[in-house]
Amino acid sequence: VSLETSAQKHPLGKPAIFITGSGKCGTSVVAHCFFASGFPMGTLEDLHIFEGRGNLRGLWEHKRTLDLNCEILEFNSCDWHTPSQEALKVSEEMRERLRLFAESVPAWFCCKDPRFVSTFSAWYGLFDPITIVGCFRHPAGFIKSLVNVWPDKYSTGSRHDRTKAFELWNLYSTRLLSLAEQVPVHWIDFDESLPNLKFRIASVISRFGRIFNEQAFDQFYIPTERRFSHEAESGMSGLDVPKHVLEVYDRLIEAYR
């Protein structure tokens, strides 16, 4: 279904695409693919793009959306590293600013932020429909990527840190699965082989009536970004992944297939 055709089916709403996941699971790569394929994501000046440790070419988050999501989390005394266990709340004033922002962007506005997994309820109803592109990876790869980016916060050598990181992955992944019960979700497994990953991203993009820009992907993609996703790294590798975490991973794989 093309963006234009689907938008015509929802004359009273404004369709949107949210690219999200646990974080450290390929959302930046996917967001760049959508940008290169011409989805309305704003200009380069509108996007938060970072090149450095842990994100060699990453983020691709709309600055205003990112600010609003961070504000919602702060209002609930939490952040990405310490998500709330309870449903998030927003003030009437904040809800109005979200509404005004939703009105200011075009139909099929596409934006990426792992925080959407937590803040989705605040955005629900402001766009219609919302389609999610859900990215995920093996929890062991997630943890190794966390340690690489935030060595001061996480360590694979500390059981306490591993437990904290596994529960972080588990919470975000469980919430992502729950969102699939509310809205359509197109799944992307960041641990797939490169040809399969490209094929999957291209397939998802084609469902919105646009064409995957393979040349842009090849120029942008850095193999090092997935250094924790090949078979040797994505396995347990002595990290002793808890059973309940692996069960959630199995549910993601099932949804993906």
Side-chain angles (χ1 to χ4, degrees):
V1 178
S2 70
L3 304 189
E4 292 76 15
T5 301
S6 183
Q8 292 171 4
K9 293 182 180 179
H10 300 273
L12 300 180
K14 179 182 288 185
I17 302 168
F18 289 178
I19 301 170
T20 192
S22 65
K24 312 312 303 171
C25 60
T27 53
S28 294
V29 172
V30 173
H32 175 266
C33 289
F34 273 68
F35 182 84
S37 297
F39 287 81
M41 299 175 68
T43 66
L44 286 175
E45 290 71 26
D46 294 325
L47 301 176
H48 180 39
I49 302 171
F50 174 78
E51 297 191 11
R53 183 183 179 90
N55 274 298
L56 301 183
R57 292 178 182 172
L59 300 182
W60 291 83
E61 296 162 351
H62 192 278
K63 293 175 182 177
R64 184 61 182 142
T65 306
L66 173 63
D67 288 345
L68 289 167
N69 276 335
C70 288
E71 188 175 345
I72 293 170
L73 295 179
E74 184 178 358
F75 183 77
N76 288 270
S77 301
C78 59
D79 58 23
W80 183 84
H81 293 281
T82 55
S84 173
Q85 300 291 333
E86 307 296 332
L88 298 185
K89 300 177 181 179
V90 295
S91 66
E92 288 298 324
E93 183 271 338
M94 189 180 300
R95 178 73 175 180
E96 178 64 11
R97 284 192 286 116
L98 292 174
R99 185 187 66 79
L100 291 174
F101 174 78
E103 288 185 353
S104 73
V105 297
W108 286 109
F109 176 63
C110 178
C111 51
K112 167 256 175 175
D113 191 349
R115 295 166 186 81
F116 276 127
V117 176
S118 293
T119 66
F120 182 81
S121 61
W123 294 93
Y124 189 70
L126 298 177
F127 296 98
D128 181 26
I130 295 176
T131 302
I132 288 178
V133 178
C135 305
F136 69 95
R137 78 186 311 172
H138 191 282
F142 168 80
I143 287 180
K144 291 177 181 178
S145 187
L146 282 187
V147 172
N148 179 66
V149 180
W150 294 290
D152 58 323
K153 291 180 178 291
Y154 304 96
S155 168
T156 56
S158 164
R159 178 177 293 275
H160 176 268
D161 284 356
R162 292 199 305 272
T163 298
K164 180 175 65 174
F166 278 133
E167 291 308 320
L168 188 66
W169 180 94
N170 194 64
L171 179 62
Y172 281 128
S173 299
T174 301
R175 287 179 175 173
L176 185 60
L177 285 164
S178 296
L179 291 182
E181 300 174 2
Q182 304 177 52
V183 297
V185 176
H186 299 307
W187 299 97
I188 293 177
D189 179 0
F190 195 51
D191 292 329
E192 279 277 27
S193 66
L194 185 57
N196 287 347
L197 178 64
K198 291 170 68 173
F199 178 80
R200 185 68 170 204
I201 296 174
S203 297
V204 171
I205 287 175
S206 71
R207 294 180 187 181
F208 296 103
R210 295 187 181 267
I211 299 174
F212 172 63
N213 189 332
E214 185 171 9
Q215 182 178 6
F217 178 95
D218 291 339
Q219 292 175 346
F220 173 83
Y221 175 75
I222 300 176
T224 310
E225 289 285 22
R226 292 203 315 145
R227 58 194 171 283
F228 304 119
S229 290
H230 57 75
E231 185 176 354
E233 290 286 358
S234 63
M236 295 186 202
S237 302
L239 290 182
D240 192 23
V241 183
K243 181 180 178 180
H244 71 282
V245 173
L246 287 177
E247 288 174 350
V248 172
Y249 177 70
D250 289 341
R251 289 174 57 197
L252 288 168
I253 290 294
E254 183 179 357
Y256 169 74
R257 291 175 177 168

Short mmCIF file of all heavy atoms in Angstrom, two decimals, residues 14 18 48 77 81 83 105 111 123-124 126 147 159 190-191 194 203 217 224 226 230 254:
data_model
loop_
_atom_site.label_atom_id
_atom_site.label_comp_id
_atom_site.label_asym_id
_atom_site.label_seq_id
_atom_site.Cartn_x
_atom_site.Cartn_y
_atom_site.Cartn_z
N LYS A 14 -3.77 11.47 10.35
CA LYS A 14 -2.51 11.70 9.65
C LYS A 14 -1.60 10.51 9.91
O LYS A 14 -1.17 10.30 11.05
CB LYS A 14 -1.86 12.99 10.13
CG LYS A 14 -0.52 13.29 9.46
CD LYS A 14 0.10 14.55 10.02
CE LYS A 14 -0.65 15.78 9.55
NZ LYS A 14 0.00 17.04 9.99
N PHE A 18 6.84 5.11 12.93
CA PHE A 18 7.79 5.20 14.03
C PHE A 18 8.79 4.05 13.90
O PHE A 18 8.39 2.88 13.89
CB PHE A 18 7.09 5.08 15.39
CG PHE A 18 6.26 6.26 15.79
CD1 PHE A 18 5.55 6.25 16.97
CD2 PHE A 18 6.18 7.40 14.99
CE1 PHE A 18 4.77 7.34 17.36
CE2 PHE A 18 5.42 8.50 15.36
CZ PHE A 18 4.70 8.46 16.56
N HIS A 48 19.08 14.82 14.33
CA HIS A 48 20.24 14.69 15.22
C HIS A 48 21.09 13.55 14.68
O HIS A 48 20.72 12.38 14.77
CB HIS A 48 19.77 14.40 16.63
CG HIS A 48 20.88 14.24 17.63
ND1 HIS A 48 22.01 15.02 17.62
CD2 HIS A 48 21.03 13.37 18.67
CE1 HIS A 48 22.81 14.66 18.60
NE2 HIS A 48 22.24 13.66 19.25
N SER A 77 10.19 11.06 35.70
CA SER A 77 11.37 10.76 36.52
C SER A 77 12.11 9.51 36.03
O SER A 77 12.53 8.65 36.82
CB SER A 77 10.97 10.58 37.99
OG SER A 77 10.35 11.74 38.48
N HIS A 81 18.02 4.86 30.12
CA HIS A 81 18.75 3.86 30.92
C HIS A 81 17.92 3.34 32.09
O HIS A 81 18.13 2.22 32.56
CB HIS A 81 20.06 4.46 31.45
CG HIS A 81 21.06 4.77 30.38
ND1 HIS A 81 21.85 3.82 29.79
CD2 HIS A 81 21.38 5.96 29.79
CE1 HIS A 81 22.62 4.39 28.88
NE2 HIS A 81 22.36 5.68 28.86
N PRO A 83 14.15 3.15 32.56
CA PRO A 83 12.75 3.33 32.15
C PRO A 83 11.79 3.10 33.30
O PRO A 83 12.08 2.35 34.23
CB PRO A 83 12.57 2.28 31.05
CG PRO A 83 13.58 1.22 31.37
CD PRO A 83 14.76 1.96 31.95
N VAL A 105 3.67 18.50 11.05
CA VAL A 105 4.45 17.64 10.15
C VAL A 105 3.54 17.06 9.07
O VAL A 105 2.32 16.99 9.24
CB VAL A 105 5.15 16.51 10.94
CG1 VAL A 105 6.15 17.08 11.92
CG2 VAL A 105 4.13 15.62 11.66
N CYS A 111 9.79 8.98 11.73
CA CYS A 111 10.79 9.38 12.71
C CYS A 111 11.27 8.17 13.50
O CYS A 111 10.55 7.18 13.65
CB CYS A 111 10.24 10.45 13.66
SG CYS A 111 8.67 10.03 14.42
N TRP A 123 1.77 9.43 22.23
CA TRP A 123 1.60 9.81 20.83
C TRP A 123 0.37 9.16 20.20
O TRP A 123 -0.11 9.60 19.16
CB TRP A 123 2.84 9.41 20.04
CG TRP A 123 4.08 10.13 20.42
CD1 TRP A 123 5.03 9.73 21.33
CD2 TRP A 123 4.53 11.39 19.92
NE1 TRP A 123 6.03 10.66 21.42
CE2 TRP A 123 5.76 11.69 20.56
CE3 TRP A 123 4.03 12.30 18.98
CZ2 TRP A 123 6.48 12.84 20.30
CZ3 TRP A 123 4.74 13.45 18.71
CH2 TRP A 123 5.96 13.71 19.37
N TYR A 124 -0.09 8.11 20.83
CA TYR A 124 -1.20 7.34 20.25
C TYR A 124 -2.44 8.23 20.10
O TYR A 124 -2.85 8.90 21.04
CB TYR A 124 -1.52 6.14 21.13
CG TYR A 124 -2.51 5.16 20.52
CD1 TYR A 124 -2.14 4.38 19.44
CD2 TYR A 124 -3.79 5.04 21.03
CE1 TYR A 124 -3.02 3.49 18.87
CE2 TYR A 124 -4.69 4.15 20.47
CZ TYR A 124 -4.30 3.38 19.38
OH TYR A 124 -5.19 2.49 18.82
N LEU A 126 -2.61 10.81 18.08
CA LEU A 126 -2.21 12.05 17.43
C LEU A 126 -1.94 11.83 15.96
O LEU A 126 -2.00 12.77 15.15
CB LEU A 126 -0.98 12.64 18.11
CG LEU A 126 -1.15 13.04 19.58
CD1 LEU A 126 0.16 13.56 20.15
CD2 LEU A 126 -2.25 14.10 19.72
N VAL A 147 28.08 -1.97 26.43
CA VAL A 147 29.37 -1.87 27.09
C VAL A 147 30.34 -1.06 26.24
O VAL A 147 31.14 -0.27 26.75
CB VAL A 147 29.94 -3.27 27.39
CG1 VAL A 147 31.37 -3.18 27.91
CG2 VAL A 147 29.05 -4.00 28.38
N ARG A 159 28.22 -9.25 37.20
CA ARG A 159 26.92 -9.92 37.16
C ARG A 159 25.78 -8.92 37.35
O ARG A 159 24.74 -9.02 36.70
CB ARG A 159 26.85 -11.02 38.22
CG ARG A 159 25.50 -11.75 38.27
CD ARG A 159 25.52 -12.87 39.28
NE ARG A 159 26.42 -13.94 38.86
CZ ARG A 159 26.06 -14.92 38.03
NH1 ARG A 159 24.84 -14.96 37.51
NH2 ARG A 159 26.93 -15.85 37.72
N PHE A 190 18.28 -7.20 13.25
CA PHE A 190 19.58 -6.59 12.94
C PHE A 190 20.71 -7.62 12.89
O PHE A 190 21.80 -7.31 12.41
CB PHE A 190 19.89 -5.51 13.98
CG PHE A 190 21.00 -4.58 13.58
CD1 PHE A 190 20.99 -3.94 12.36
CD2 PHE A 190 22.05 -4.31 14.45
CE1 PHE A 190 22.01 -3.07 11.98
CE2 PHE A 190 23.07 -3.43 14.09
CZ PHE A 190 23.05 -2.81 12.86
N ASP A 191 20.47 -8.82 13.38
CA ASP A 191 21.50 -9.86 13.37
C ASP A 191 21.53 -10.66 12.07
O ASP A 191 22.38 -11.53 11.90
CB ASP A 191 21.29 -10.83 14.54
CG ASP A 191 21.55 -10.18 15.89
OD1 ASP A 191 22.39 -9.27 15.95
OD2 ASP A 191 20.91 -10.57 16.87
N LEU A 194 24.10 -9.72 6.03
CA LEU A 194 23.95 -8.45 5.33
C LEU A 194 23.00 -8.54 4.14
O LEU A 194 22.12 -7.67 3.99
CB LEU A 194 25.32 -7.92 4.89
CG LEU A 194 25.32 -6.53 4.24
CD1 LEU A 194 24.70 -5.50 5.17
CD2 LEU A 194 26.74 -6.12 3.86
N SER A 203 12.17 -4.75 1.57
CA SER A 203 10.81 -5.26 1.55
C SER A 203 9.87 -4.38 2.37
O SER A 203 8.74 -4.09 1.96
CB SER A 203 10.77 -6.70 2.08
OG SER A 203 11.52 -7.57 1.26
N PHE A 217 22.61 2.95 0.78
CA PHE A 217 22.92 2.04 1.88
C PHE A 217 24.39 1.64 1.84
O PHE A 217 25.08 1.68 2.86
CB PHE A 217 22.04 0.78 1.78
CG PHE A 217 22.32 -0.24 2.85
CD1 PHE A 217 21.57 -0.27 4.02
CD2 PHE A 217 23.34 -1.18 2.70
CE1 PHE A 217 21.83 -1.20 5.02
CE2 PHE A 217 23.61 -2.12 3.68
CZ PHE A 217 22.85 -2.13 4.84
N THR A 224 31.47 -2.29 10.82
CA THR A 224 31.79 -2.25 12.25
C THR A 224 30.56 -1.98 13.10
O THR A 224 30.52 -2.37 14.28
CB THR A 224 32.85 -1.15 12.52
OG1 THR A 224 33.94 -1.33 11.62
CG2 THR A 224 33.37 -1.24 13.95
N ARG A 226 27.90 -3.45 13.03
CA ARG A 226 27.24 -4.70 13.40
C ARG A 226 28.27 -5.72 13.90
O ARG A 226 28.07 -6.92 13.78
CB ARG A 226 26.48 -5.27 12.21
CG ARG A 226 25.28 -4.44 11.81
CD ARG A 226 24.26 -5.26 11.05
NE ARG A 226 24.87 -6.09 10.02
CZ ARG A 226 24.43 -7.30 9.69
NH1 ARG A 226 23.39 -7.82 10.29
NH2 ARG A 226 25.02 -7.97 8.72
N HIS A 230 27.47 -10.83 14.28
CA HIS A 230 27.77 -12.09 13.59
C HIS A 230 27.62 -13.24 14.57
O HIS A 230 27.50 -13.05 15.79
CB HIS A 230 29.15 -12.06 12.93
CG HIS A 230 30.29 -11.78 13.85
ND1 HIS A 230 30.78 -12.70 14.73
CD2 HIS A 230 31.01 -10.64 14.02
CE1 HIS A 230 31.79 -12.17 15.40
NE2 HIS A 230 31.94 -10.94 15.00
N GLU A 254 9.86 -15.25 16.27
CA GLU A 254 8.60 -15.78 15.74
C GLU A 254 7.81 -14.67 15.03
O GLU A 254 7.26 -14.89 13.94
CB GLU A 254 7.77 -16.39 16.87
CG GLU A 254 6.47 -17.02 16.39
CD GLU A 254 5.68 -17.65 17.52
OE1 GLU A 254 6.17 -17.65 18.67
OE2 GLU A 254 4.57 -18.12 17.25
#
